[in-house]
Amino acid sequence: MFDIQELDELVCLQLDQKSLIHCAKVNKSWYEAATPYVWRTIPLWSWNKLREHVFEDYLQERYLLEQQRLEDQPPPAKKSRQRSSSKKPPPPLERWKTTKLLALSKFGHCVRQTDGFDQLLKGLDQVNVNHGQSKAPEYLVPSTLDLAHHFLKRCPHTLFGFEMTHEFFTSDELFDLALTILPRVTALSISGDPDRRTLFPFSKFKRVLTAASDHLYSLSLSLPKFQLSYECNAEAAVSTDTLEQEIAARPKRLQIHYLDSDQDWPWVWRACGQVKTLEVHSMGFDTIQFLTFGIRNSMPMLDSVTFGRNVTVLSGGVAVCEINDFQISLILSAGIKGWRAVHFGFTAYAGFQTLNRLLEPRHTATLEEFSIVRAWETYGILRLLRACPKLRKLVTIDDETHGAYQVPQMPVMDFIDWNPEAGAIEPWPCALTLETLAIKIADVPGRSMKGLRQDIRRYNGIQQQVFQRLGEFKNLKVLQLGHVARINAIKGFNRKKSEYKFANSEVPRQDKCVHLTFTTGLRKLEGLNNLEELYIPNMDHHIKDVREVRWMVEHWPRLSRLFGIGPQTDAHAWLQKNHPEISLLRKLPGH
């Protein structure tokens, strides 16, 4: 392309798959430069073509091996000629006789990434191989495992994600295949039988970690207690010291979806000595104790933790708690150094014990990211804002995976945090570091309440104090004040499907929330020069005229996303016409 390999690489690595294919069709020079990068990543939509390449290459190799075998054999003894009216049929592999390298043989070494080894096995399924030009006699059709082995041989530099289910542990053939690819695995997920009918072979788990290499970045575990099988044989009785020397895998991320065991795995925790990120969904009490010991003694680099999942799990109409306050506090207390990021999913319940752990000076001094999407002690959010000088991200709203009927709310007076002695708002140490704020400010008194109709100044004063506080965050990039609120009321129970019926109805406006107007709100936010995204859905705001959005564009030059402006307003039409680069989202990202 440029006749300089470094420039070719610099350009081609910036292009997607389809753009690279177009480049390869320009001319011969571009074809030679772009084709290796076309093969660098194999997306899911190209599996049919990949199947043909692997199948054709496999048959060509078989033909060459067969020819070599025939050449090495001694010539057969001469026999008397016998006339025959029928012609001798050609060898079944004759059609693959060619001296030209096929695409997989030529470019297989360029492949670096696929969609996962389990997807590769599905893509090479032998049921789907016989189609198009790749038709062959049935006795020549290879099995899926044969094609997988051939792909691995032709693509020695490919790295995979691998979901190792219980089938790989119960089948010796699949387990041997897994051992051959584990050195190339970057993300490994190990899970037991979902029906819980078979025991999980503990000794094979050791062999899996031993076979993995330093390419392994993420390790995920999902193993119920009564699936663990502790075999008492020579293979399972490998000493801990010997095993630790053999394990080369050092993952940076550890995910525990479900784990329950009454025996400790010290060699597992020592293999996680370089883990920086931990994600815990559900664990048994004994396993929590073992994990706590492992964190305290073997994971000095751990600084980020996520508890629970961001899904709504209901039992009898009540949100299920998969990990409780006491378990969370145990894990938080085990951190060797202060936590940098702490996130809580919807299935995690954080209470006073969790708050007390987070408010320890060694954690508040290092905390940069905090998110919680389940109802929590509102005063806890205020205490964190008062105590964390490095806080960059605070999120208490999640509209992506569940309704917002339990969104943590911060009372308006707590958010203002007024100091009556100083006659001003209390300064927060995170005012100059906070970059992302997604919070619902509630309990704002309405103008129609009795006693406030004659005291409009007080109402406007509260609103102005809220936006005065927001205006203190000079480095704010993402601001979300509203959420897509839903009321998930239970209508009844379907006995046939054994599931609840919900009545989902959207709330047109958020009750007792901040009232955003040009006078009380926007002018106070004039100093947010770095603001890039603003989300105000379902808020009681007056951002409808051209004046307001023109002011936004002038004072927020980096604004790229705006969600919550009515599509029928003059403001929406003006932005679409004059500033098409600003995305006017109708749904929050992830919906």
Side-chain angles (χ1 to χ4, degrees):
M1 188 182 299
F2 296 105
D3 295 330
I4 301 176
Q5 184 177 357
E6 290 76 9
L7 289 179
D8 291 345
E9 182 177 2
L10 185 64
V11 172
C12 292
L13 289 179
Q14 305 299 322
L15 302 177
D16 58 16
Q17 192 86 357
K18 294 185 178 181
S19 300
L20 287 168
I21 293 175
H22 288 306
C23 290
K25 294 179 179 180
V26 174
N27 54 39
K28 184 177 180 180
S29 175
W30 282 50
Y31 172 83
E32 294 176 353
T35 304
Y37 297 94
V38 174
W39 282 81
R40 189 178 182 88
T41 302
I42 301 177
L44 196 60
W45 52 264
S46 64
W47 279 118
N48 289 337
K49 195 65 177 177
L50 175 66
R51 236 183 345 251
E52 293 182 10
H53 285 304
V54 177
F55 188 58
E56 294 282 354
D57 195 86
Y58 176 85
L59 292 179
Q60 185 193 51
E61 183 184 62
R62 283 199 58 181
Y63 173 81
L64 295 176
L65 292 175
E66 182 68 17
Q67 290 298 109
Q68 185 65 35
R69 186 186 66 82
L70 294 176
E71 291 176 1
D72 293 342
Q73 286 183 351
K78 294 183 179 181
K79 296 182 180 180
S80 58
R81 295 182 179 180
Q82 296 180 357
R83 294 182 179 180
S84 176
S85 58
S86 60
K87 293 184 179 180
K88 186 178 180 180
L93 293 173
E94 187 68 27
R95 59 172 298 216
W96 286 276
K97 179 181 178 181
T98 178
T99 58
K100 182 180 179 181
L101 285 178
L102 297 182
L104 188 64
S105 298
K106 189 175 181 181
F107 300 109
H109 68 281
C110 300
V111 180
R112 294 293 186 273
Q113 185 179 357
T114 66
D115 288 303
F117 187 72
D118 49 331
Q119 295 294 331
L120 175 66
L121 291 180
K122 293 179 181 178
L124 298 178
D125 195 310
Q126 61 178 353
V127 177
N128 300 319
V129 166
N130 287 331
H131 65 87
Q133 299 298 323
S134 297
K135 289 186 177 179
E138 185 176 352
Y139 72 93
L140 291 177
V141 176
S143 67
T144 304
L145 297 184
D146 290 336
L147 290 177
H149 279 293
H150 188 76
F151 176 86
L152 294 174
K153 180 170 61 177
R154 287 286 188 258
C155 307
H157 305 300
T158 308
L159 300 178
F160 301 93
F162 185 21
E163 183 178 358
M164 199 169 181
T165 58
H166 71 285
E167 289 90 352
F168 286 90
F169 292 94
T170 55
S171 169
D172 292 336
E173 188 177 12
L174 285 176
F175 186 74
D176 291 339
L177 175 63
L179 293 180
T180 62
I181 71 135
L182 279 170
R184 308 187 192 183
V185 172
T186 57
L188 175 62
S189 175
I190 301 176
S191 58
D193 184 2
D195 297 328
R196 302 181 179 181
R197 297 176 180 176
T198 58
L199 293 175
F200 180 81
F202 193 70
S203 61
K204 287 188 175 181
F205 181 27
K206 294 182 177 181
R207 292 181 61 187
V208 166
L209 286 188
T210 305
S213 70
D214 56 356
H215 289 300
L216 186 64
Y217 177 83
S218 175
L219 175 63
S220 301
L221 302 175
S222 180
L223 304 172
K225 178 177 180 179
F226 48 85
Q227 285 185 338
L228 298 177
S229 174
Y230 298 89
E231 301 90 336
C232 297
N233 52 36
E235 184 181 9
V238 180
S239 67
T240 302
D241 295 336
T242 304
L243 190 63
E244 290 174 10
Q245 295 175 1
E246 294 177 354
I247 295 179
R250 290 294 183 267
K252 306 296 187 297
R253 181 183 182 188
L254 176 62
Q255 293 178 294
I256 300 177
H257 299 288
Y258 186 84
L259 190 61
D260 194 1
S261 172
D262 55 4
Q263 297 190 27
D264 194 7
W265 304 350
W267 52 273
V268 175
W269 311 134
R270 290 190 181 96
C272 298
Q274 296 184 13
V275 166
K276 295 182 178 180
T277 303
L278 173 66
E279 185 174 334
V280 181
H281 294 172
S282 179
M283 295 186 72
F285 178 78
D286 291 335
T287 316
I288 285 282
Q289 301 285 347
F290 299 143
L291 175 61
T292 301
F293 181 82
I295 292 173
R296 185 176 291 112
N297 294 277
S298 303
M299 303 183 192
M301 303 178 67
L302 182 63
D303 63 357
S304 178
V305 62
T306 300
F307 299 100
R309 298 176 292 161
N310 274 348
V311 294
T312 304
V313 182
L314 297 179
S315 177
V318 180
V320 171
C321 171
E322 294 182 331
I323 184 167
N324 59 39
D325 185 31
F326 176 70
Q327 294 173 321
I328 293 172
S329 64
L330 285 179
I331 295 177
L332 290 177
S333 65
I336 297 177
K337 60 180 182 179
W339 294 103
R340 180 188 59 83
V342 179
H343 304 283
F344 297 95
F346 192 74
T347 60
Y349 173 71
F352 286 104
Q353 296 183 68
T354 299
L355 177 61
N356 291 333
R357 292 297 182 189
L358 285 175
L359 289 175
E360 293 179 3
R362 66 187 179 114
H363 299 316
T364 56
T366 58
L367 190 64
E368 296 181 10
E369 297 181 12
F370 180 82
S371 65
I372 185 168
V373 295
R374 186 167 180 160
W376 196 41
E377 175 61 40
T378 56
Y379 188 63
I381 301 176
L382 174 60
R383 295 178 67 183
L384 286 175
L385 288 168
R386 283 177 173 178
C388 300
K390 295 184 178 180
L391 191 64
R392 294 188 301 105
K393 183 176 181 179
L394 176 65
V395 176
T396 65
I397 298 176
D398 174 36
D399 291 318
E400 296 186 6
T401 53
H402 58 80
Y405 58 92
Q406 279 193 318
V407 168
Q409 301 179 3
M410 190 169 186
V412 63
M413 301 312 296
D414 285 352
F415 186 77
I416 294 173
D417 197 12
W418 184 262
N419 186 342
E421 296 180 359
I425 59 176
E426 192 73 29
W428 289 346
C430 61
L432 298 180
T433 60
L434 200 64
E435 297 178 355
T436 300
L437 178 63
I439 190 169
K440 182 179 179 182
I441 304 169
D443 297 338
V444 180
R447 286 176 296 182
S448 60
M449 295 177 60
K450 185 177 180 181
L452 288 180
R453 292 182 178 179
Q454 295 82 17
D455 194 7
I456 301 299
R457 289 184 178 180
R458 181 190 171 193
Y459 170 79
N460 290 337
I462 292 176
Q463 297 286 343
Q464 290 178 0
Q465 288 174 347
V466 170
F467 288 101
Q468 181 182 352
R469 169 66 71 185
L470 291 172
E472 295 289 324
F473 305 125
K474 302 298 182 181
N475 291 316
L476 203 62
K477 296 180 180 179
V478 179
L479 176 60
Q480 181 176 349
L481 296 175
H483 65 85
V484 183
R486 295 178 178 87
I487 299 177
N488 293 342
I490 299 178
K491 292 175 59 179
F493 184 77
N494 189 330
R495 296 185 178 275
K496 293 183 178 180
K497 296 183 178 180
S498 298
E499 62 183 18
Y500 288 91
K501 298 178 181 179
F502 296 96
N504 296 330
S505 58
E506 294 202 0
V507 181
R509 285 288 179 270
Q510 297 186 50
D511 187 30
K512 297 183 179 180
C513 198
V514 183
H515 183 210
L516 179 60
T517 66
F518 184 78
T519 304
T520 61
L522 284 181
R523 286 186 174 179
K524 297 291 184 179
L525 305 181
E526 183 177 356
L528 304 185
N529 300 322
N530 297 321
L531 192 65
E532 299 175 1
E533 303 178 15
L534 176 64
Y535 303 99
I536 49 175
N538 297 332
M539 281 186 61
D540 188 8
H541 63 79
H542 287 194
I543 311 301
K544 301 177 181 179
D545 298 330
V546 175
R547 181 183 67 159
E548 286 87 354
V549 291
R550 180 178 290 169
W551 184 94
M552 290 182 181
V553 172
E554 292 176 356
H555 292 82
W556 302 335
R558 298 184 180 182
L559 188 65
S560 60
R561 286 187 174 184
L562 183 58
F563 178 45
I565 304 298
Q568 306 299 327
T569 61
D570 295 338
H572 190 279
W574 185 85
L575 284 174
Q576 279 189 323
K577 180 180 179 181
N578 297 279
H579 293 276
E581 72 279 3
I582 298 179
S583 176
L584 301 176
L585 303 176
R586 294 189 178 183
K587 293 184 178 180
L588 285 174
H591 279 60

